[in-house]
Amino acid sequence: MRNTRALAAAGAAVAVLGVAAPAAVADGGRVPNPSNIVALPSVIARGGQLTITVDGCPNGGHATSNAFERTNLTPVSGGNDAGRGGIDAGRGGNDTARGTATIHQDARPGSYDITVHCSGRSLTRPAAFTVIGGVRGGIGGSSATGATPTDMAIGGALVAAAVVGSGVFWMRRRAEKRI
């Protein structure tokens, strides 16, 4: 019975090491692949600042899109998972890179892709962020051309209806007081 338990424990240990060893060897000589492209905010107005974060980019790289100029990505200092026992623990490095892009003032509203290039590899995230049309703040929503003749006619009709309605109400109240 003791031999069976010892044999089962030894078999389990060999199985665990057999699975873990190739992964450890493969990880030592790996070329990182860019992954997990995050663009914040995900909805942005023209002229706004977009922060791009990419995993698997330990030496930095660059990001491109039709909505902004080529933007450099720099490695983020400090360990992403180092010290927490995560996948980066033991390597002592961080595979995350970050950059800030400014959206073109003439970018059309809609969804845009981001393509990241780092370590000789590329990754595209479709519809990574959405550009919305800019707003004309500070003028209260008015237009530069002023009121149109139709706007003036509608406003005049509303004022006339208010005057007539007030006159009718006043005349009725006056008539009720006489009775």
Side-chain angles (χ1 to χ4, degrees), residues 82-95:
R84 293 190 300 206
I87 58 171
D88 287 340
R91 286 202 304 255
N94 187 349
D95 287 351

Side-chain angles (χ1 to χ4, degrees), residues 165-179:
S166 297
V168 169
F169 178 75
W170 182 69
M171 293 297 283
R172 287 190 67 194
R173 293 287 291 168
R174 190 170 170 211
E176 287 177 3
K177 287 183 181 179
R178 289 186 186 169
I179 298 177

Side-chain angles (χ1 to χ4, degrees), residues 34-89:
S35 64
N36 194 28
I37 300 171
V38 178
L40 292 174
S42 60
V43 177
I44 189 167
R46 294 179 280 211
Q49 297 277 319
L50 183 71
T51 301
I52 303 162
T53 306
V54 184
D55 292 338
C57 232
N59 301 320
H62 66 273
T64 59
S65 176
N66 291 334
F68 56 81
E69 297 293 325
R70 177 179 159 155
T71 301
N72 289 327
L73 301 172
T74 56
V76 176
S77 62
N80 187 18
D81 286 328
R84 293 190 300 206
I87 58 171
D88 287 340

Side-chain angles (χ1 to χ4, degrees), residues 45-48 65-69 102-110 112 131-134:
R46 294 179 280 211
S65 176
N66 291 334
F68 56 81
E69 297 293 325
T102 302
I103 305 299
H104 294 305
Q105 289 289 343
D106 60 349
R108 291 182 169 266
Y112 286 89
V131 174
I132 58 173

